[in-house]
Amino acid sequence: MDFSTYKTEIEKDGFTIIPNVFSENDVNTIVSYINEVNTSSETFRKSANLFAIRQFLKEVPKVKRELFNNNLKSIVSSIFGEDYFVVKSIYFDKPEESNWFVSYHQDLTISVNTKSDIEGYSSWTVKQGQFAVQPPINVLENIYTIRIHLDNTTEENGVLKVVPQSHNKEIYRPETIDWNTETETICNVDKGGIMIMKPLLLHSSSRTTNNKRRRVIHIEFSNKELPQEIHWAEKLSIN
């Protein structure tokens, strides 16, 4: 399959949507593996508005074969590059009656194995036992995110809204968005489809209003090696 159009869209606008990457059976199998997991680990976050699993591929290892099918492998190698590997994975489940929303932001941190005093690496935090840090801009510009949709997702159940081309403006503070010049795009994605985006793309999501859940697997990829003092927390080859 020719992915050149999708690659062009990502480079220009910071995102693209590819339908039918996973079949109905693929999605059902993935969901069944998630449902088997013991949710008592510290990497799990559960509330009335959100269920999330950090270090998803470590917590649900059985899912790897279904996720990294030939379709997804071809997408990664054709659009990102042959040398790209996984660096972060999260599962999000937005329940049917969730009033949780996320305002416009960029994804400015990476997950690493330890904390260290390194020039250019700042804003250290720990989330569910995992270190996060804001790296230099060239590290963020190199990352691609794939969002695998396990449900039909629209504006009514928390689909992403984005500001096209905002990924080209490096650190872009949401409070400085000029809506006289910027536009907003709603990224509807059908079940089994994926959205690819650059982490520096401004994005947000709304509350759920249609009583339908929204389950998404978020996987980040890079081909950069980090300074020798730290390592990617979830580095994983997909081949």
Side-chain angles (χ1 to χ4, degrees):
M1 184 174 178
D2 183 8
F3 296 108
S4 58
T5 299
Y6 299 117
K7 184 177 178 67
T8 299
E9 287 180 355
I10 296 169
E11 291 172 352
K12 177 179 179 289
D13 292 326
F15 71 99
T16 192
I17 294 167
I18 306 178
N20 304 316
V21 176
F22 297 90
S23 69
E24 182 82 19
N25 285 339
D26 292 335
V27 171
N28 289 341
T29 301
I30 291 167
V31 169
S32 72
Y33 290 154
I34 294 170
N35 290 339
E36 293 174 2
V37 176
N38 179 347
T39 61
S40 62
S41 168
E42 67 173 354
T43 59
F44 291 71
R45 174 186 169 193
K46 194 167 188 177
S47 70
N49 291 319
L50 173 68
F51 173 53
I53 307 173
R54 291 187 177 275
Q55 302 180 47
F56 173 70
L57 294 174
K58 289 184 178 181
E59 295 291 349
V60 194
K62 286 175 64 175
V63 83
K64 294 174 188 174
R65 186 164 68 175
E66 299 298 329
L67 287 181
F68 302 133
N69 62 16
N70 289 334
N71 288 342
L72 198 71
K73 286 181 179 180
S74 294
I75 288 166
V76 171
S77 62
S78 299
I79 297 179
F80 307 170
E82 295 280 356
D83 56 346
Y84 269 73
F85 46 83
V86 173
V87 295
K88 182 189 290 188
S89 59
I90 310 173
Y91 168 74
F92 294 107
D93 180 354
K94 196 170 194 175
E96 293 89 334
E97 297 180 358
S98 174
N99 63 5
W100 169 65
F101 73 97
V102 179
S103 57
Y104 268 105
H105 67 286
Q106 296 171 299
D107 292 338
L108 296 177
T109 65
I110 60 173
S111 296
V112 295
N113 67 322
T114 190
K115 183 177 180 179
S116 184
D117 184 14
I118 305 171
E119 184 177 356
Y121 288 74
S122 62
S123 303
W124 288 88
T125 59
V126 179
K127 295 180 180 179
Q128 279 82 50
Q130 185 166 11
F131 290 98
V133 63
Q134 182 171 329
I137 196 73
N138 68 305
V139 175
L140 294 171
E141 289 174 335
N142 176 258
I143 294 173
Y144 291 89
T145 298
I146 292 181
R147 292 170 56 87
I148 300 165
H149 286 252
L150 306 180
D151 299 290
N152 292 327
T153 311
T154 67
E155 191 174 13
E156 285 73 42
N157 66 338
V159 75
L160 284 195
K161 297 180 287 186
V162 304
V163 178
Q165 301 181 25
S166 55
H167 68 300
N168 290 321
K169 299 181 180 180
E170 297 190 348
I171 306 300
Y172 190 167
R173 300 300 178 191
E175 62 271 18
T176 68
I177 298 173
D178 182 356
W179 291 112
N180 292 314
T181 58
E182 301 287 16
T183 59
E184 179 179 79
T185 297
I186 297 170
C187 302
N188 294 332
V189 186
D190 288 338
K191 180 179 181 179
I194 69 171
M195 177 181 176
I196 304 175
M197 59 179 283
K198 301 295 289 181
L200 290 175
L201 184 75
L202 280 166
H203 56 285
S204 70
S205 67
S206 302
R207 295 177 173 85
T208 298
T209 59
N210 65 357
N211 293 319
K212 293 184 179 179
R213 73 196 301 188
R214 187 211 71 181
R215 293 169 293 181
V216 173
I217 297 170
H218 169 117
I219 306 178
E220 296 179 15
F221 296 80
S222 177
N223 66 351
K224 276 192 175 295
E225 295 300 331
L226 299 175
Q228 62 181 4
E229 298 91 340
I230 58 176
H231 303 287
W232 295 106
E234 301 177 62
K235 185 175 181 180
L236 175 71
S237 170
I238 68 171
N239 296 310

